[in-house]
Amino acid sequence: MYDLILEAGTVLSQGKAVQADVAVEGGTVVYVGDRPGGAARRRVYAGGRFVTPGFIDTHVHFRDPGHPHKEDWASGSRAAASGGVTTVCDMPNTDPPTVSVAAWEAKVATAQARSRVDFGVWIGAAAGAVDAARALADSGRACGIKVFMGASTGPLLVDDATLVTYFEHTRALMGVHAEDEAVLARLRAEWSGRIPPSHHATRPAEAATAAVRRLIELTEAFPRPVHVCHVSTAAELALLEAVRGRLPMTAEVSPHHLWLDEAAPLGNLGKVNPPLRPAADAAAMLAAFAGGRLDTVGSDHAPHTLEEKARPYAQAPAGLPGVETIFPLMLAAVRRGEFPLERVVDACAGAPARIFGMSRKGRVAVGADADLLVFGEAELQVLTAEALLTRVAWSPFLGRSVHPKPDEVYLRGALVASHGRIVGDDVRGRLVGAELA
Ligand code: DOR
Ligand code: ZN
Ligand code: ZN
């Protein structure tokens, strides 16, 4: 007997749309096609609605351990599930930072106990910590090695010599916050004691391009997969375009770099690293995303409280929440005709699964985990704080017209969210590793 059959939906996966039933057993998709024979414990009619793989957000900062007043595994993963994100990868700039085997294992244990979605855990790069990355990432237990080339939130930052050590002594996927610390330090000194016209003025495109140039040199010298996090400028796009197909480099975009720019009247709520850019950069990013030149969407979910954001500019922390608004924003853009739904499903599910080696994720196909979203073409609605489950309860997109959250979200066949609300207290996420070739 099947556990679940989703009947007659439009199944969108791997670039194809077919009207089909999807049957699930033991958390796995076991059949996609016309009417499967046999009984099911649960049947859901999906006629006239889409069935897609659950979204994978490989870039969240859940603040656990360290700052549970901003977010923790329970609140962050509930937000994720409600917004159709069934797998998250958590960043290492927690407190303590995830740069040792012990810290990584402790975080995995917390997530196993509290997460409502499946998860990967990044191991952070730090001077003297390369052995932990070898043990965890090169073995496929950690989803990748996170490198901060420029200082952002938290103490994680590597100098060039350390970065080279990682290129020499590890081989797993490296995810990089690419802003050049020398450029940032020079501008910090220049703007010290003065209020800049925008956050972008203190961390301009030049900081990002200097870092991406160095990454390209190192990837040429020591080829291995490098995923450039939150690309935000036309200049970075040009650099990456020139090596596309030749070097194993891929690129992530965050929704705030597609639909917000430095002129957005957000004050410190819009303070984020890398910064919101001039409108021309956002337009170039949107065109690149539509054209398939940006591989994945990562929210860079980095919650800080409204109280923290109300401090003066220099003291306000950088970062904004976003794990639960990927789906609403992407679907609204589809509605506006900015790109097709197939593009969204690839960038939010197919591509992250391929790039991160999550062999059971990212597609609706026999043998894959039954992480599934069901949704129809609903009216857009104004995003309000009441719709949000993140502990900080705000979004830089409040007031925008967005698509509602998915009608149903399944994690390995179990219903975990319905119309933005969490259901089922007993479902817990599992660690997703990278299956290395
Ligand atoms: O704005 C940011 N916030 N950029 C980062 O790199 C880190 C993040 C955070 O953790 O708050
Ligand atoms: Zn970053
Ligand atoms: Zn980040």
Side-chain angles (χ1 to χ4, degrees):
M1 170 132 82
Y2 299 120
D3 296 320
L4 170 70
I5 297 178
L6 298 178
E7 293 177 338
T10 301
V11 178
L12 242 167
S13 175
Q14 298 173 291
K16 292 192 291 279
V18 287
Q19 185 168 332
D21 287 10
V22 177
V24 177
E25 212 177 291
T28 302
V29 173
V30 293
Y31 180 87
V32 182
D34 296 331
R35 296 278 99 152
R41 284 186 188 86
R42 183 184 175 115
R43 284 175 181 274
V44 175
Y45 184 67
R49 299 191 291 165
F50 292 106
V51 177
T52 74
F55 285 9
I56 300 169
D57 184 352
T58 60
H59 194 154
V60 304
H61 300 263
F62 276 174
R63 313 301 190 198
D64 189 355
H67 299 283
H69 71 286
K70 298 178 198 265
E71 201 79 286
D72 63 16
W73 272 100
S75 62
S77 66
R78 287 164 65 93
S82 80
V85 170
T86 49
T87 304
V88 294
C89 296
D90 188 59
M91 286 296 179
N93 60 336
T94 40
D95 192 5
T98 320
V99 295
S100 66
V101 173
W104 185 90
E105 286 179 344
K107 186 183 275 188
V108 168
T110 305
Q112 275 164 343
R114 309 196 64 189
S115 183
R116 303 302 184 107
V117 295
D118 282 356
F119 56 89
V121 174
W122 290 88
I123 181 79
V130 74
D131 286 349
R134 286 166 65 97
L136 292 171
D138 288 2
S139 67
R141 293 175 73 203
C143 57
I145 303 166
K146 177 64 188 291
V147 174
F148 283 91
M149 291 175 77
S152 191
T153 305
L156 288 184
L157 170 66
V158 298
D159 60 17
D160 194 67
T162 305
L163 179 59
V164 171
T165 304
Y166 275 83
F167 268 94
E168 284 174 338
H169 296 294
T170 66
R171 66 186 178 93
L173 177 132
M174 190 185 271
V176 186
H177 180 113
E179 287 186 290
D180 182 79
E181 186 55 24
V183 175
L184 297 183
R186 172 165 57 77
L187 284 152
R188 256 198 306 277
E190 264 174 41
W191 286 106
S192 157
R194 292 186 295 151
I195 298 199
S198 70
H199 191 49
H200 165 71
T202 72
R203 306 174 77 109
E206 177 199 354
T209 52
V212 170
R213 274 203 190 88
R214 180 66 179 140
L215 268 185
I216 289 172
E217 279 172 14
L218 287 170
T219 311
E220 244 158 4
F222 307 98
R224 55 94 64 70
V226 172
H227 195 50
V228 184
C229 295
H230 43 47
V231 171
S232 60
T233 62
E236 288 164 277
L237 286 169
L239 291 173
L240 292 170
E241 189 55 24
V243 300
R244 202 168 177 86
R246 185 164 67 81
L247 296 181
M249 297 181 78
T250 47
E252 173 196 77
V253 61
S254 303
H256 49 271
H257 292 128
L258 294 175
W259 296 299
L260 296 174
D261 61 53
E262 63 172 348
L266 288 165
N268 292 336
L269 296 184
K271 182 178 178 184
V272 59
N273 300 329
L276 302 181
R277 303 301 192 180
D281 281 308
M285 293 293 296
L286 193 57
F289 181 76
R293 289 176 286 130
L294 288 161
D295 301 276
T296 68
V297 175
S299 69
D300 198 3
H301 179 77
H304 298 287
T305 65
L306 288 171
E307 205 180 355
E308 292 160 344
K309 285 291 201 176
R311 293 174 192 155
Y313 164 75
Q315 283 87 49
L320 32 92
V323 68
E324 64 194 302
T325 45
I326 295 176
F327 178 94
L329 290 165
M330 287 284 153
L331 271 287
V334 169
R335 176 66 59 83
R336 294 192 300 266
E338 291 174 10
F339 38 73
L341 185 54
E342 287 79 359
R343 184 76 267 275
V344 176
V345 172
D346 188 59
C348 297
R354 291 193 301 274
I355 291 169
F356 284 76
M358 298 173 183
S359 64
R360 298 181 58 87
K361 303 292 191 193
R363 62 196 197 286
V364 182
V366 172
D369 283 348
D371 300 346
L372 304 165
L373 311 185
V374 182
F375 55 95
E377 281 186 35
E379 290 292 311
L380 301 189
Q381 52 186 227
V382 172
L383 182 67
T384 62
E386 290 70 53
L388 300 174
L389 271 63
T390 173
R391 185 151 293 153
V392 298
W394 66 274
S395 157
F397 293 100
L398 289 181
R400 299 247 177 164
S401 282
V402 299
H403 194 281
K405 288 174 172 177
D407 297 353
E408 280 114 35
V409 180
Y410 295 90
L411 177 68
R412 285 178 277 103
L415 185 66
V416 290
S418 171
H419 297 277
R421 286 199 194 85
I422 297 299
V423 293
D425 265 342
D426 47 338
V427 181
R428 286 297 176 273
R430 285 189 194 154
L431 179 69
V432 177
E435 283 105 53
L436 295 182

